[in-house]
Amino acid sequence: DAGVIQSPRHEVTEMGQEVTLRCKPISGHDYLFWYRQTMMRGLELLIYFNNNVPIDDSGMPEDRFSAKMPNASFSTLKIQPSEPRDSAVYFCASSSHGVGNTIYFGEGSWLTVV
Amino acid sequence: GENVEQHPSTLSVQEGDSAVIKCTYSDSASNYFPWYKQELGKRPQLIIDIRSNVGEKKDQRIAVTLNKTAKHFSLHITETQPEDSAVYFCAATSKAAGNKLTFGGGTRVLVKP
């Protein structure tokens, strides 16, 4: 399996622009997570899905952030409009059902908003 | 919700010495505790985990211990090598939390040759 696949790997955009990050989870995994990593705040869970349904979006910082999972093999995280403080590494991760099953991370999308 | 505290935030050890990282958690219902290693510019990767029905688990030079009563768990790395240099994260979750991991703040480990 190719693992969790994220795109783009790197993005530099101007403040105010829309950013869309994409994720393909590992085939067969029914949990999908979006994390944000910064030096100041560490690894933060933004939102997670189970069987394509959003379960907990309490970590989404504000209305500028939205996430969708239209099917079991694809998810997007969108920021509109983007701000410099959104600069971070965004990780998508997936796991199979049940507590104690390994959560696998993608390689991350490195976002810089200037 | 769960809160995970991790100490120290940085740790410098001489090659061959041991390194110990400690974490505490707040939710007594948490029953799964993984440890992730993140090398510079890379993704976090699971290195070892422990479940609440086990007090200790070992995998070569890495071991984890869990004290459910005190709500803390630790990572022990013996005979450290330069390739152990990375950031290490502890995490906790439970069935009630829906498999949602709460991470500690991370420990930056530097192994000096």
Side-chain angles (χ1 to χ4, degrees), chain A residues 31 33 35 37 43 45 48 56 91 95-96 98-100 102-103 105-107 110, chain B residues 31-32 36 38 41-44 46 51 89 93-95 97-101 103:
Chain A
Y31 281 86
F33 308 84
Y35 283 90
Q37 186 174 38
L43 267 168
L45 178 67
Y48 79 99
D56 184 348
F91 286 103
S95 72
S96 62
V99 177
T102 303
I103 293 178
F105 284 79
E107 293 188 345
W110 297 66
Chain B
N31 60 357
Y32 175 63
Y36 282 79
Q38 186 178 25
K42 301 289 183 63
R43 74 186 89 184
L46 180 75
R51 290 166 175 74
F89 293 94
T93 190
S94 66
K95 184 176 182 180
N99 209 22
K100 179 178 75 172
L101 283 177
F103 283 90

Side-chain angles (χ1 to χ4, degrees), chain A residues 12-16 82-84 87 112-114:
Chain A
V12 180
T13 191
E14 290 185 348
M15 183 173 63
S82 58
E83 297 181 3
S87 298
T112 303
V113 183
V114 298

Side-chain angles (χ1 to χ4, degrees), chain A residues 28-84:
Chain A
H29 282 190
D30 56 344
Y31 281 86
L32 184 139
F33 308 84
W34 282 101
Y35 283 90
R36 179 173 68 177
Q37 186 174 38
T38 61
M39 288 295 292
M40 292 298 295
R41 301 176 68 90
L43 267 168
E44 303 174 275
L45 178 67
L46 300 178
I47 185 171
Y48 79 99
F49 297 81
N50 179 220
N51 292 321
N52 313 337
V53 176
I55 302 301
D56 184 348
D57 65 355
S58 59
M60 296 286 263
E62 48 198 275
D63 292 346
R64 297 185 297 106
F65 285 70
S66 63
K68 294 181 180 180
M69 192 166 186
N71 58 62
S73 59
F74 184 66
S75 177
T76 59
L77 177 68
K78 189 170 292 188
I79 309 171
Q80 167 64 18
S82 58
E83 297 181 3

